[in-house]
Amino acid sequence: MIPETLNPLNYFTSLVPDLMPVATVPIIILICLLFLIWNHEETSSIPGPGYCMGIGPLISHGRFLWMGVGNACNYYNKTYGEFVRVWISGEETFIISKSSSVFHVMKHWNYVSRFGSKLGLQCIGMYENGIIFNNNPAHWKEIRPFFTKALSGPGLVRMIAICVESTIVHLDKLEEVTTEVGNVNVLNLMRRIMLDTSNKLFLGVPLDESAIVLKIQNYFDAWQALLLKPDIFFKISWLCKKYEEAAKDLKGAMEILIEQKRQKLSSVEKLDEHVDFASQLIFAQNRGDLTAENVNQCVLEMMIAAPDTLSVTLFFMLILIAEHPTVEEMMMREIETVMGDRDVQSDDMPNLKIVENFIYESMRYQPVVDLIMRKALQDDVIDGYPVKKGTNIILNIGRMHKLEFFPKPNEFSLENFEKNVPSRYFQPFGFGPRGCVGKFIAMVMMKAILVTLLRRCRVQTMKGRGLNNIQKNNDLSMHPIERQPLIRVIKVDQH
């Protein structure tokens, strides 16, 4: 009898019916259950913010929307380590910047799918269409060979001459991209050159460069804004209206150009020796292998890839050249030794090692594409961490390139590429089954255009404006067309 009297649990249970209604007991049980779930989630072996009864996923997704994908990824990796668990749209997402883990994801076929907002990708036409963000592996495998064929072989060699010719033509009409105070909008110049070269090799119809360049920029703004938006965003028409119109605007313009190509093909008596990318797709549609929607999206993606990513990459390279004159001198000596007075040719490409190392170091130090998004198609284990089927994965390669291997990771220095860099530590284009299909032609284009520019121009930043100020004032990765890059291009008389 004494133990029962002193037992606090016995006292509490006898007191409960007197102090609270019977209806409150289920509520207490529910709270206890939620507490157990909370504690279960907190025991995850993967570092990252807590689940906290669903509050954690809301906060993590909100941080991505507020800070942007790149800044949010860097925040979480810096805070929790190089393998972090967060949530996007309520789905478990891993942010990885450890080279061994990144290498594992890239090389395996069960990570060939990508993730993103279904409604957002549908809005811009990329949901199970095209190649860039097509998250249907079966459809993606059917389409990729068309891109592989167009971006390799004879097209790779022809692109060199096309890049040289286009760069010279656009330098001869710099007034079209020159401001009232005499500064050249270099980013606009790069975009025009890239669009012209892509059109000549892949589509082959007359187009308005200025108008299409602007439509491409608006399309990319929509893509960036919609990629991770929650579904509720698309229920509010006035919020997404401008993005829908931007996507529709470019898609409509491309449909007109592709129809011109169809008419051209139907009236031509003999095809060219090299059947271009758009023609191959149109013939595939005529055979019933592709839909018209997929043809249009594939051509659109081929035409927008270089004017956005490569043009911004080259723009940053020109800023770095202006900031590092000794590097420019090293490249010019190599160019003169390899080429003399003639323009660059395909045989010169392997011999331009300093130029190549400069391009690599620029992409490492100032990346334009610093994230790769994937989805796990089956259960797996990465560096000891369990990965469930359906898990979203973001490879933070921009951070990875500044964490391991390089002797001066936080500086711009060609010393970082004096020695051969193992592929697992440097992947600006990715690799494996879903690596960038255009990485070889991209290097050719950047070399050809950069060498042609350096032989004909001297690039200088405006006095008192350094690299950091230029990037801060122009917000180049987001809205570069709305502000004038503070760079002056001085043409050099070769004679």
Side-chain angles (χ1 to χ4, degrees), residues 84-153:
V84 182
R85 179 196 64 168
V86 296
W87 295 266
I88 295 177
S89 296
E91 297 178 346
E92 197 169 52
T93 303
F94 295 159
I95 306 172
I96 303 172
S97 55
K98 185 179 179 182
S99 62
S100 59
S101 302
V102 170
F103 190 81
H104 177 95
V105 172
M106 285 185 178
K107 73 178 182 179
H108 284 98
W109 276 93
N110 56 306
Y111 296 101
V112 295
S113 180
R114 292 194 169 179
F115 78 93
S117 164
K118 177 180 177 180
L119 296 178
L121 292 174
Q122 284 177 338
C123 179
I124 60 177
M126 289 187 176
Y127 183 73
E128 298 192 354
N129 274 323
I131 191 175
I132 298 177
F133 253 82
N134 189 333
N135 53 7
N136 185 317
H139 291 177
W140 168 77
K141 288 179 182 178
E142 293 175 356
I143 293 165
R144 186 177 171 94
F146 291 98
F147 284 84
T148 303
K149 183 177 181 180
L151 295 168
S152 59

Side-chain angles (χ1 to χ4, degrees), residues 258 262 281-282 285 290-299:
I258 295 169
R262 294 181 196 276
L281 291 173
I282 292 171
Q285 181 191 345
L290 295 176
T291 65
E293 181 183 12
N294 222 329
V295 170
N296 292 342
Q297 185 63 28
C298 286
V299 175

Side-chain angles (χ1 to χ4, degrees), residues 41-100:
E41 292 289 346
E42 291 293 332
T43 60
S44 171
S45 62
I46 303 174
Y51 185 80
C52 196
M53 294 188 293
I55 298 174
L58 291 175
I59 293 175
S60 66
H61 192 184
R63 187 178 295 278
F64 276 89
L65 297 177
W66 169 48
M67 298 180 67
V69 182
N71 289 333
C73 287
N74 288 330
Y75 166 81
Y76 281 118
N77 280 140
K78 183 178 180 180
T79 304
Y80 296 100
E82 309 314 323
F83 200 115
V84 182
R85 179 196 64 168
V86 296
W87 295 266
I88 295 177
S89 296
E91 297 178 346
E92 197 169 52
T93 303
F94 295 159
I95 306 172
I96 303 172
S97 55
K98 185 179 179 182
S99 62
S100 59

Side-chain angles (χ1 to χ4, degrees), residues 383-445:
D383 278 348
Y385 293 114
V387 180
K388 297 178 183 178
K389 178 181 178 180
T391 301
N392 299 329
I393 295 175
I394 301 177
L395 304 178
N396 191 353
I397 58 173
R399 179 177 171 85
M400 183 191 80
H401 289 162
K402 295 182 180 179
L403 287 177
E404 303 178 50
F405 185 81
F406 296 100
K408 296 182 178 179
N410 297 312
E411 297 180 29
F412 174 80
S413 173
L414 297 193
E415 292 179 26
N416 286 317
F417 285 90
E418 282 185 349
K419 297 181 179 179
N420 185 45
V421 179
S423 60
R424 73 167 52 225
Y425 298 115
F426 183 63
Q427 286 296 337
F429 299 103
F431 85 106
R434 187 131 194 182
C436 177
V437 70
K439 61 183 178 181
F440 297 114
I441 202 168
M443 284 299 296
V444 165
M445 293 174 71

Side-chain angles (χ1 to χ4, degrees), residues 269-371:
E269 295 182 0
K270 183 180 179 181
L271 292 174
D272 294 336
E273 180 182 354
H274 302 289
V275 180
D276 60 33
F277 177 72
S279 299
Q280 294 280 5
L281 291 173
I282 292 171
F283 294 152
Q285 181 191 345
N286 294 340
R287 296 192 302 267
D289 297 336
L290 295 176
T291 65
E293 181 183 12
N294 222 329
V295 170
N296 292 342
Q297 185 63 28
C298 286
V299 175
L300 182 150
E301 292 184 12
M302 183 68 95
M303 294 297 291
I304 68 175
D308 188 78
T309 53
L310 289 189
S311 59
V312 179
T313 300
L314 278 166
F315 174 62
F316 282 136
M317 288 180 187
L318 293 176
I319 296 176
L320 289 168
I321 287 171
E323 292 288 314
H324 299 83
T326 55
V327 173
E328 180 185 16
E329 291 174 6
M330 292 169 60
M331 288 194 289
M332 288 306 303
R333 285 197 295 269
E334 179 181 71
I335 291 170
E336 291 171 2
T337 300
V338 172
M339 297 160 39
D341 294 331
R342 60 175 173 78
D343 288 317
V344 64
Q345 299 173 1
S346 59
D347 292 341
D348 301 323
M349 291 293 170
N351 300 320
L352 295 169
K353 295 301 297 182
I354 295 176
V355 174
E356 182 175 291
N357 288 345
F358 167 77
I359 291 173
Y360 284 147
E361 174 63 1
S362 299
M363 290 191 292
R364 185 202 68 84
Y365 180 76
Q366 186 64 65
V368 174
V369 180
D370 54 355
L371 302 170

